[in-house]
Amino acid sequence: MKQYNHQEIEKKWQDIWEKEHRFEVKNHEDNKENAYVLIEFPYPSGKGLHVGHIRSYSALDAVARKKRMQGYNVLFPMGTDSFGLEAERTAIKEHKLPQEIVSRNIATFKEQLKMVGLSVDWSREISTSDPSYYKWTQWLFLQFVKHGLAEKQETTVNFCPNCGVLANEEVENGKCVQCGAETTQKPKAQWVLKMTKYAERLADDLKDTDYMEHIKTSQINWIGKSEGTEVKFDIEGGGSFKIFTTCIETIYGITFMVLAPENKLVDSLKNRILNWNEVEEYRKQASKKSDFERTEMAKTKTGCILSGIYAINPVNGKKVPVYISDFVLASYGTGAVMAVPTHDARDYEFAKAKNIEMIEVISGGNVAEKAYEKQEYLQKDSILINSGKFSGLKVSEAKKAITDYLINLGVAEKKINFKMRDWIFSRQRYWGEPIPMIHCDHCGWVPVNEEDLPITLPIVESYDVTKDGESPLSKIESFVNTTCPKCKGKAKRETDTMPGWAGSSWYYMRYCDPHNDKEFASLDALSAWLPVGLYNGGNEHTCRHLLYARFWNKFFYDIGISPVSEPFKNRISQGIVLGSNGVKMSKSLGNVVDPREVIKEYGADSIRVWEAFMGDYFETVNWNDDGVKSANRLINRIWNMQEFLTEGTEFSKELNFSLNFAIDKVTSDIDNVKFNTAISTIMSLVNEIYSNKKINKAEYKTLITLLSPFAPHVCEELYTICNFGTSMKDATWPVADKKALIKDTIELPVQVAGKVRGKITVSNSASQEEAVAVALENEDVKKYSNGLNPKKVIYVAGRILNLIF
RNA sequence: GCCGAUGUGGCGAAACUGGCAGACGCGCUCGACUCAAAAUCGAGUUCUGUAACAGGAGUGCCGGUUCAAAUCCGGCCAUCGGCACCA
């Protein structure tokens, strides 16, 4: 018997797979059902892949390989999400072109990935920064434009006087991370995708998916649907504004109103505001903060009164003061709120800080100490007080009664509001898809003609961020100056680019038809594969990327270019692999583990098995060098089993149960994303074979097949050594004989008063009487029974017998 | 702050969703093989306790429900992820 040599074997099989085009798939295969297994494509950062990537790639590879052996036509593609800030930053730092940085990084990443032996169809590889790909990203953007879902809107951007427009992560505590200067929120007209139009469906249609519950929840929370009432408040002396509330029952408790500092209403009231200077100063301060800082609960609430301005409560005509405060966001709801300090914690804090009166309108709390909030009073269905003719009603009744009353008055309407905002789609950066729009003084914004796509990024010397807040592309005249597609007059190109999210919002569709130069993907190809059966990616993407991708698909579905209304049947998210010190792997901390080194020493099969085994797939786990050894040991044990090998075409009596159990368990574990227990089942089986020191060919073949999704190279090698076939190309996944799993007798734990005191052996169909009779004869049980009959018996067949004496 | 998740031996973890806590593995201890070591094979390994059994305690902390709780409920504590221009 030859020694196990991972380097030789892995190279050999990887070459064979490549030469055979083993994993390339056609969109249609006779007599085979299609299955689409998708893993988020990596961002080709300069760091390269670390062992954490291997965890999810090899796990999904195992899923794909098993499905293939089960007779499916499996699409398991890979590509790179290559636009984005990081490549641009690296390029600036290294004085190279982002194009160069990206192709260098992709080469490294592919080299690393190929060593792992993934069953990827590389003929379908895509890269989002490739013009042949982003041509279609631009084309899809034009569809949004065509259907009125993309438009220029006034927004704000983080702005640093020295460094220009900044990403959120480049701003810390209102200061620029790079130069330390104070940043402001600068107004800017930007392209926006009107995603809110899809809010309702994005939330509702989650019911048609099998996503993990917490992923559905995070989608729903992000969308933030709330049903409430929009109420119009008149301003004393003329004018009015609207507020949105989900707590209309507290309307008699209003003691002030709050507007967002940016609310345009404030400008229109300028002449009537007595303390305008103060108001202006406050607005300036507020413009320095991000939304996140503004709404943070821990911060003390600040605000500024609009002296001389009073709003009139439509239920009782009460005159209340109006403030501006940064805890109210212009972007959410109407940019104005009614404040009821007795029943809202934020309002309570504000009222305390500003010494504003409070009126309790729902009984049951202790409003002298803190606000009695809706979570609590809704649950208790408390009674209204101090609320005019609505006093005495329960909250549940008052909600409706007050809403109806206001609607009759003509000052309110029922409204559904979403926390989710439209998607700001412009970036003033170089390294992204140019937005294919042209501005003409006569015709306004005109889409580029589809046949002129792609609008390619010009190769430029400096693509650094500009100080004036415009995209670096704006400085390239040859790019900017063009003719209007409509009137053929002089016109200028849009110079903003798309965000990194753009390319990743539809890449899984391009995999279905990656070389199509007529369409972004044909409906036939998409119909063959969608919806994706299993979509795996990082936890950090389960909220936004997933929502964006779903939004794009829904729109495509509506305009007839996608065959499904939900693109992903199931979505799961793997846990992160941290460094061995429990901290995220990063170059600066020196705790990055390069898979290439591990593979060199122990082999791809070993690292794959170890990462499958290291813990629950969904949980964060620390890297551990010793762990790979244990996987390597398992593989060696299975390799060395050749010594025990005997002839045989059927399972032996000794192993019949264990093998069928393992088939059943490994199959369901892979289906249920429990790779760690799949491996431990195989380990137990191997232990048993070692204690028997015997295994026949039929058994060995089954064992090898079960391991092969995780350790494909060594399994192919053993498969051929043992003459089970010339390769595992046509290997089929075993099916458990369910009958073999039923045992005649079982060991049943016996509890006395809830504590396990003994074990009995009974037939697997034993009745309660039979089980109790056996238990009472058991020596361990007798110690506690004192010869008595039990007063009470709890019997769960096959599980537990609990006796109370 | 808000939303989501997690917390079990020296360590990574498992536990069929309320039914034997610690499967499987790492590490460690002991034994076999070896001149020796490594590798390999085998035995043991939650803590406490005992010569050995027995017994007791035990799943982040405090309390509750139940014949029975890692699992369900209430209240804390700690760690991680997201919070809209990183993707």
Side-chain angles (χ1 to χ4, degrees):
Chain A
M1 190 185 75
K2 264 178 75 178
Q3 281 265 308
Y4 168 53
N5 178 335
H6 67 261
Q7 284 180 345
E8 197 181 294
I9 293 171
E10 289 175 4
K11 172 94 179 51
K12 170 182 162 187
W13 286 101
Q14 283 168 15
D15 289 349
I16 291 174
W17 296 337
E18 191 159 343
K19 213 157 53 194
E20 279 184 354
H21 305 282
R22 170 89 69 93
F23 304 114
E24 292 179 16
V25 279
K26 296 192 197 118
N27 289 342
H28 301 283
E29 196 76 67
D30 286 346
N31 307 319
K32 278 195 176 181
E33 204 177 312
N34 281 0
Y36 192 170
V37 177
L38 179 66
I39 178 116
E40 271 173 7
F41 56 171
Y43 186 74
S45 81
K47 290 176 210 131
L49 297 180
H50 59 71
V51 290
H53 295 96
I54 309 303
R55 186 189 198 190
S56 49
Y57 297 159
S58 60
L60 271 275
D61 186 48
V63 172
R65 285 177 180 269
K66 190 204 97 192
K67 282 227 151 225
R68 244 177 243 121
M69 285 189 270
Q70 286 178 315
Y72 289 91
N73 185 39
V74 176
L75 173 58
F76 183 51
M78 186 62 80
T80 44
D81 189 10
S82 42
F83 269 135
L85 199 50
E86 196 182 321
E88 185 178 295
R89 279 192 199 132
T90 313
I92 292 171
K93 220 192 300 169
E94 297 188 17
H95 305 289
K96 290 204 170 106
L97 291 169
Q99 286 86 342
E100 287 178 85
I101 298 291
V102 159
S103 62
R104 182 190 75 193
N105 289 350
I106 290 177
T108 312
F109 135 83
K110 270 183 86 170
E111 183 212 335
Q112 288 178 308
L113 267 193
K114 292 225 163 164
M115 287 175 77
V116 182
L118 300 179
S119 63
V120 160
D121 178 353
W122 287 105
S123 74
R124 293 178 183 246
E125 182 188 358
I126 56 176
S127 168
T128 53
S129 61
D130 186 328
S132 70
Y133 180 89
Y134 71 69
K135 166 182 178 172
W136 297 108
T137 311
Q138 291 173 331
W139 182 83
L140 291 165
F141 178 82
L142 291 182
Q143 307 315 303
F144 282 104
V145 174
K146 214 192 257 176
H147 290 83
L149 285 171
E151 64 179 27
K152 276 244 168 172
Q153 280 180 13
E154 264 317 304
T155 63
T156 59
V157 291
N158 300 310
F159 191 75
C160 165
N162 304 318
C163 310
V165 177
L166 301 179
N168 279 347
E169 65 162 18
E170 296 172 306
V171 181
E172 225 168 75
N173 301 322
K175 300 228 165 71
C176 172
V177 170
Q178 284 128 43
C179 72
E182 283 205 1
T183 60
T184 53
Q185 298 290 307
K186 184 179 170 167
K188 176 138 192 72
Q190 304 206 90
W191 289 99
V192 162
L193 295 188
K194 294 163 121 186
M195 185 157 68
T196 46
K197 288 232 154 98
Y198 281 78
E200 188 110 46
R201 282 165 67 196
L202 286 168
D204 291 349
D205 291 356
L206 286 168
K207 66 177 185 325
D208 302 328
T209 71
D210 301 331
Y211 299 174
M212 292 169 82
E213 247 353 276
H214 76 268
I215 296 179
K216 286 190 186 181
T217 309
S218 69
Q219 297 266 299
I220 286 168
N221 288 343
W222 185 270
I223 295 164
K225 177 177 174 176
S226 48
E227 294 181 40
T229 318
E230 196 174 84
V231 188
K232 192 176 97 179
F233 280 69
D234 285 329
I235 298 169
E236 191 190 39
S240 69
F241 63 96
K242 285 180 177 173
I243 60 101
F244 173 80
T245 178
T246 56
C247 306
I248 195 70
E249 62 276 8
T250 61
I251 193 165
Y252 282 86
I254 295 176
T255 51
F256 59 103
M257 308 292 289
V258 188
L259 306 178
E262 319 66 352
N263 196 318
K264 294 263 188 304
L265 180 71
V266 180
D267 300 287
S268 68
L269 294 172
K270 183 174 175 181
N271 297 332
R272 292 153 63 186
I273 296 172
L274 306 175
N275 58 338
W276 182 251
N277 287 347
E278 212 181 312
V279 169
E280 223 174 8
E281 180 54 28
Y282 185 81
R283 294 177 101 186
K284 213 164 108 192
Q285 292 304 321
S287 78
K288 290 179 185 168
K289 297 193 201 166
S290 67
D291 287 357
F292 175 56
E293 288 172 301
R294 288 171 50 163
T295 49
E296 213 176 2
M297 195 49 144
K299 302 271 162 71
T300 26
K301 297 281 163 285
T302 62
C304 175
I305 195 164
L306 303 181
S307 288
I309 306 295
Y310 292 94
I312 297 163
N313 190 337
V315 281
N316 55 7
K318 186 180 164 77
K319 240 171 67 174
V320 294
V322 180
Y323 288 79
I324 53 172
S325 172
D326 58 16
F327 78 80
V328 178
L329 301 179
S331 51
Y332 180 67
T334 59
V337 300
M338 64 181 220
V340 183
T342 44
H343 302 287
D344 180 282
R346 252 177 357 186
D347 301 346
Y348 188 87
E349 268 187 64
F350 193 86
K352 276 266 151 142
K354 297 278 170 193
N355 214 1
I356 305 170
E357 113 184 91
M358 301 195 192
I359 303 171
E360 183 180 20
V361 290
I362 291 168
S363 62
N366 178 7
V367 297
E369 226 156 70
K370 60 167 194 186
Y372 181 47
E373 291 196 280
K374 64 174 166 185
Q375 309 89 290
E376 244 183 297
Y377 71 66
L378 284 179
Q379 208 185 355
K380 295 184 186 157
D381 205 6
S382 303
I383 307 286
L384 265 68
I385 53 174
N386 300 328
S387 296
K389 61 178 173 176
F390 302 102
S391 295
L393 290 183
K394 287 182 184 167
V395 168
S396 55
E397 301 160 343
K399 253 187 196 301
K400 194 178 176 311
I402 296 178
T403 307
D404 290 347
Y405 174 70
L406 291 170
I407 290 172
N408 274 334
L409 279 182
V411 295
E413 56 180 318
K414 281 189 190 168
K415 190 120 190 188
I416 294 171
N417 209 13
F418 296 96
K419 207 179 286 165
M420 188 176 90
R421 314 213 280 262
D422 283 330
W423 177 6
I424 298 174
F425 204 67
S426 292
R427 299 291 183 272
Q428 293 72 45
R429 296 275 176 176
Y430 171 74
W431 194 232
E433 302 87 346
I435 292 177
M437 297 296 291
I438 291 171
H439 191 262
C440 165
D441 285 340
H442 297 287
C443 312
W445 283 107
V446 182
V448 167
N449 285 326
E450 288 182 9
E451 50 282 14
D452 294 337
L453 296 178
I455 304 303
T456 49
L457 273 174
I459 306 277
V460 293
E461 271 170 36
S462 168
Y463 38 81
D464 211 338
V465 184
T466 63
K467 294 193 192 335
D468 62 2
E470 294 303 319
S471 159
L473 294 177
S474 67
K475 307 289 174 279
I476 304 163
E477 295 205 355
S478 58
F479 177 82
V480 175
N481 294 320
T482 185
T483 51
C484 171
K486 237 189 205 165
C487 70
K488 310 294 174 206
K490 277 193 179 173
K492 287 184 189 300
R493 281 191 196 284
E494 171 62 63
T495 56
D496 284 353
T497 54
M498 299 187 200
W501 307 98
S504 63
S505 292
W506 71 282
Y507 72 110
Y508 65 97
M509 298 177 134
R510 187 65 179 171
Y511 283 142
C512 299
D513 200 3
H515 308 295
N516 193 334
D517 56 4
K518 303 275 182 295
E519 296 170 88
F520 84 111
S522 75
L523 202 54
D524 173 70
L526 292 173
S527 303
W529 297 110
L530 296 182
V532 173
L534 181 66
Y535 184 25
N536 176 85
N539 256 317
E540 69 278 22
H541 297 148
T542 54
C543 200
R544 295 175 53 197
H545 156 68
L546 190 60
L547 200 64
Y548 292 152
R550 292 179 59 227
F551 160 53
W552 277 43
N553 174 73
K554 273 203 189 304
F555 166 61
F556 301 166
Y557 177 69
D558 287 352
I559 62 172
I561 60 174
S562 166
V564 292
S565 75
E566 278 296 329
F568 314 116
K569 187 74 192 136
N570 195 0
R571 162 77 192 201
I572 56 173
S573 299
Q574 81 276 6
I576 319 164
V577 179
L578 302 172
S580 49
N581 52 356
V583 185
K584 229 180 201 170
M585 289 193 192
S586 84
K587 240 183 190 171
S588 58
L589 291 168
N591 62 348
V592 179
V593 182
D594 187 331
R596 282 176 291 195
E597 285 163 33
V598 184
I599 289 171
K600 211 170 143 200
E601 190 166 357
Y602 298 102
D605 287 332
S606 289
I607 192 175
R608 293 173 55 128
V609 168
W610 166 240
E611 296 214 28
F613 181 63
M614 71 198 319
D616 187 311
Y617 184 66
F618 303 119
E619 298 301 328
T620 303
V621 64
N622 295 1
W623 178 255
N624 170 4
D625 287 318
D626 281 343
V628 196
K629 287 187 207 159
S630 72
N632 190 257
R633 198 170 290 162
L634 174 71
I635 291 169
N636 264 299
R637 272 162 81 82
I638 291 174
W639 179 275
N640 293 335
M641 252 180 218
Q642 291 175 69
E643 287 184 358
F644 308 148
L645 199 55
T646 61
E647 291 300 320
T649 51
E650 279 178 21
F651 292 172
S652 65
K653 267 202 194 108
E654 293 97 313
L655 283 180
N656 192 40
F657 174 81
S658 305
L659 272 166
N660 279 296
F661 178 82
I663 293 169
D664 190 56
K665 178 85 173 132
V666 172
T667 308
S668 63
D669 277 354
I670 295 177
D671 289 338
N672 296 322
V673 200
K674 301 180 83 164
F675 309 114
N676 51 339
T677 49
I679 300 296
S680 70
T681 303
I682 293 173
M683 284 172 167
S684 296
L685 179 61
V686 169
N687 289 344
E688 193 176 340
I689 293 164
Y690 264 76
S691 55
N692 294 348
K693 298 209 167 18
K694 216 169 70 183
I695 185 167
N696 72 31
K697 282 198 161 178
E699 294 161 345
Y700 200 35
K701 184 176 172 183
T702 301
L703 172 63
I704 289 167
T705 311
L706 289 179
L707 182 70
S708 68
F710 301 101
H713 312 84
V714 67
C715 289
E716 289 252 19
E717 184 70 12
L718 285 169
Y719 206 82
T720 52
I721 290 176
C722 298
N723 286 317
F724 298 143
T726 51
S727 78
M728 290 194 79
K729 187 171 185 207
D730 301 312
T732 55
W733 189 252
V735 177
D737 173 9
K738 294 277 182 188
K739 274 182 291 180
L741 295 174
I742 301 164
K743 285 188 162 173
D744 298 338
T745 59
I746 53 163
E747 198 178 57
L748 187 74
V750 181
Q751 295 183 332
V752 177
K755 284 202 176 236
V756 177
R757 297 299 186 182
K759 275 167 199 181
I760 56 173
T761 305
V762 290
S763 96
N764 91 63
S765 59
S767 68
Q768 178 169 318
E769 287 70 28
E770 286 164 336
V772 171
V774 178
L776 291 176
E777 289 307 307
N778 181 284
E779 289 305 321
D780 294 322
V781 176
K782 274 183 179 170
K783 276 188 252 173
Y784 294 89
S785 66
N786 297 322
L788 299 170
N789 276 324
K791 275 191 221 136
K792 188 171 178 187
V793 177
I794 294 107
Y795 179 59
V796 183
R799 271 264 172 273
I800 202 92
L801 176 64
N802 190 6
L803 305 174
I804 291 136
F805 292 98

